[in-house]
Amino acid sequence: MTDKTANQMWGGRFAAGPDAIMEAINASIGFDRRMAAQDIAGSRAHAAMLAATGVISDSDAEAIGEGLLTVLSEIEAGDFEFSTALEDIHMNVEARLKDLIGAPAGRLHTGRSRNDQVATDFRLWVRDQLDTAEGGLLALIRALLGQAEAGADWVMPGFTHLQTAQPVTWGHHMMAYVEMFGRDLSRMRDARARMNESPLGAAALAGTSFPIDREMTAKALGFDRPAANSLDAVSDRDFALEFLGAASICAMHLSRMAEELVIWSSAQFRFVALSDRFSTGSSIMPQKKNPDAAELIRAKVGRIFGANTALMMVMKGLPLTYSKDMQEDKEQVFDAADNLMLALAAMEGMVRDMSANRDSLAAAAGSGFSTATDLADWLVRVLGMPFRDAHHVTGSLVALAEGRGCDLPDLTLDDMQSVHAEITDDVFTVLGVENSVNSRMSYGGTAPAQVRAQIERWKSLLE
């Protein structure tokens, strides 16, 4: 593309084209070409509306619509030649449209500006990512439900401080992540509902004097309504920030689960075995099976958090309305979206494929005096002991068992009565890990019956 052509796109204000440095810093086509489909969809809706309102002729609108479809097919086929001199996806598409259909192409930009055009394109692109994230989260939640259902009554240790705390069930642990990713799903849906307003027709910043129909273009593009203030419409990037915020929280949840998979798949834990599809070997240690997919998910959080912070910094000092700073709103969002979708897909695959080691889970569930709280609760419930006193008695019994090199259920009744004479043999009904988890029947508790109830609740929600 020649400088002369580029200058024509700028209009008559500039006598000479930007030099190479200005062209390099000003151009966004290297990354905003990703919005080609959204740009063409917006332009086709705009052209149809201009014809419907009598601003342009039906024949011009038809030529524009058909020409834009040709441009889209060239881009999708990889046959389109993008030009840095034309700065961005909008001007690249418009220039090619002019090559194809001639003068009618010049009427496409009537009643709009690149400001509302890019705001529309970007909003459409982010909306597509929210829909993709929703699909990824639904698939992951279903994989977790499958794991929870298979092991609703499998005992395992619950941890605080990564120390054995109380016995829980495998199903209960999986359902904890269902709740986390369920909130992520809610945030994605909530963000989509709030951002689904059309900026198209806000023009540069003040609206337009042409008799356009913004309701028509909003409907054509699947928006709920046109944005109500033209100044805000072209300068708002909250929708991208909300996506990055929701993506950051989701990525944090993915990272937490990835960390557990790394720990659980280690030789020291052996809680789970990850499939070969999501593991790698070592170049020199043949025995190694590394949880690389989980580790990479854990690392990708940094990129997504960084994107969130970067866009906040871009937007924090901008007066209304549009400033060129806002060209820096896309690359980090594109990168964050790519990495979030990849991480969701990888986690869904790992969860679906992984095998829990029931024997290792059960062996670990009874370690570390995990039923000490059940003993303290029994002392309160059966003997009427104040909880602080029960806590002290239980601590003494733990110390006794530790000195004997055994666990609480292995102490004899005489051993226990040496610490507190009123303890009866009924205490042994609460000390086994199976008894412990079965007793946790409070709503949201780890009892298998409660876990299965939550699984059914989520299945109904997903239907």
Side-chain angles (χ1 to χ4, degrees):
M1 192 63 61
T2 64
D3 280 344
K4 182 178 179 182
T5 304
N7 295 339
Q8 287 173 346
M9 299 303 295
W10 280 79
R13 169 67 179 82
F14 296 90
D19 64 21
I21 295 174
M22 183 58 192
E23 183 177 288
I25 196 172
N26 194 50
S28 60
I29 189 59
F31 52 86
D32 70 13
R33 66 178 65 182
R34 293 185 64 163
M35 301 191 302
Q38 289 79 16
D39 188 72
I40 288 170
S43 290
R44 294 187 78 235
H46 185 67
M49 178 275 294
L50 291 177
T53 54
V55 176
I56 66 174
S57 69
D58 289 341
S59 60
D60 281 351
E62 185 176 351
I64 290 169
E66 292 300 317
L68 287 169
L69 288 179
T70 300
V71 175
L72 180 60
S73 67
E74 291 177 349
I75 293 172
E76 290 177 341
D79 298 331
F80 191 93
E81 186 176 341
F82 292 98
S83 167
T84 304
L86 290 172
E87 296 184 31
D88 55 33
I89 187 61
H90 326 298
M91 293 173 79
N92 269 264
V93 168
E94 189 175 332
R96 178 57 181 149
L97 182 65
K98 185 175 182 181
D99 292 341
L100 291 170
I101 68 170
R107 296 186 174 90
L108 172 60
H109 212 51
T110 308
R112 73 174 184 184
S113 161
R114 278 195 297 175
N115 291 356
D116 63 333
Q117 189 178 0
V118 69
T120 302
D121 293 359
F122 195 24
R123 197 174 284 249
L124 287 170
W125 193 91
V126 171
R127 190 178 70 183
D128 287 344
Q129 302 312 300
L130 288 165
D131 290 342
T132 303
E134 177 176 349
L137 282 163
L138 285 169
L140 176 54
I141 288 169
R142 289 190 176 99
L144 287 162
L145 287 172
Q147 286 285 348
E149 196 163 27
D153 56 357
W154 298 1
V155 292
M156 67 174 289
F159 298 96
T160 61
H161 310 278
L162 204 56
Q163 309 268 336
T164 299
Q166 293 176 272
V168 296
T169 57
W170 171 257
H172 196 52
H173 202 113
M174 293 297 101
M175 291 304 294
Y177 282 108
V178 168
E179 294 294 329
M180 288 187 205
F181 294 121
R183 292 192 295 274
D184 293 324
L185 179 63
S186 176
R187 274 183 282 270
M188 296 294 179
R189 289 172 170 171
D190 187 52
R192 191 193 194 284
R194 187 165 26 257
M195 62 88 73
N196 205 33
E197 297 183 344
S198 174
L200 193 57
L205 74 162
T208 178
S209 59
F210 291 98
I212 63 172
D213 185 344
R214 294 190 62 211
E215 294 281 355
M216 179 180 173
T217 50
K219 183 178 180 181
L221 294 171
F223 289 114
D224 294 329
R225 65 193 71 83
N229 183 284
S230 61
L231 298 172
D232 180 56
V234 298
S235 63
D236 169 39
R237 294 298 183 270
D238 289 4
F239 62 91
L241 287 166
E242 278 203 70
F243 169 66
L244 290 176
S248 294
I249 298 172
C250 181
M252 177 268 292
H253 290 153
L254 288 166
S255 182
R256 292 184 72 182
M257 187 164 197
E259 171 72 359
E260 293 210 311
L261 293 182
V262 170
I263 294 170
W264 289 353
S265 62
S266 68
Q268 290 71 31
F269 273 73
R270 297 188 184 279
F271 282 6
V272 300
L274 301 178
S275 74
D276 291 347
R277 294 200 310 143
F278 295 98
S279 306
T280 65
S282 166
S283 60
I284 64 169
M285 294 172 284
Q287 83 281 9
K288 295 291 293 299
K289 185 176 180 181
N290 300 323
D292 282 8
E295 292 170 1
L296 288 166
I297 289 172
R298 190 174 57 186
K300 286 184 181 298
V301 174
R303 296 173 70 154
I304 297 171
F305 284 9
N308 194 15
T309 301
L311 185 54
M312 282 285 195
M313 294 303 291
V314 168
M315 296 303 298
K316 72 173 183 62
L318 298 186
L320 297 180
T321 56
Y322 182 83
S323 298
K324 195 67 172 181
D325 311 49
M326 292 169 72
Q327 184 167 293
E328 294 297 311
D329 60 358
K330 295 172 195 68
E331 285 183 278
Q332 55 264 35
V333 178
F334 293 163
D335 184 75
D338 289 346
N339 283 283
L340 178 66
M341 306 317 164
L342 183 58
L344 280 169
M347 183 60 79
E348 187 268 338
M350 280 192 293
V351 170
R352 192 172 297 281
D353 286 2
M354 73 181 178
S355 301
N357 186 332
R358 186 175 184 178
D359 291 340
S360 293
L361 291 169
S367 66
F369 308 104
S370 65
T371 56
T373 307
D374 297 279
L375 173 56
D377 288 347
W378 183 89
L379 293 170
V380 171
R381 188 174 61 252
V382 176
L383 300 187
M385 191 179 293
F387 184 80
R388 287 301 171 197
D389 294 344
H391 188 282
H392 178 76
V393 170
T394 301
S396 298
L397 288 168
V398 167
L400 178 61
E402 193 170 34
R404 298 272 180 86
C406 66
D407 203 353
L408 286 172
D410 300 318
L411 293 175
T412 66
L413 181 60
D414 288 341
D415 293 332
M416 292 194 179
Q417 289 178 338
S418 71
V419 173
H420 189 79
E422 295 181 27
I423 294 176
T424 69
D425 60 2
D426 180 65
V427 73
F428 292 102
T429 64
V430 301
L431 290 183
V433 292
E434 300 283 352
N435 293 330
S436 174
V437 297
N438 284 321
S439 72
R440 305 290 173 178
M441 278 295 292
S442 56
Y443 180 81
T446 194
Q450 282 294 321
V451 172
R452 291 188 177 101
Q454 293 300 328
I455 291 169
E456 292 307 311
R457 180 178 72 89
W458 267 100
K459 284 182 176 180
S460 296
L461 289 173
L462 294 182
E463 289 174 2

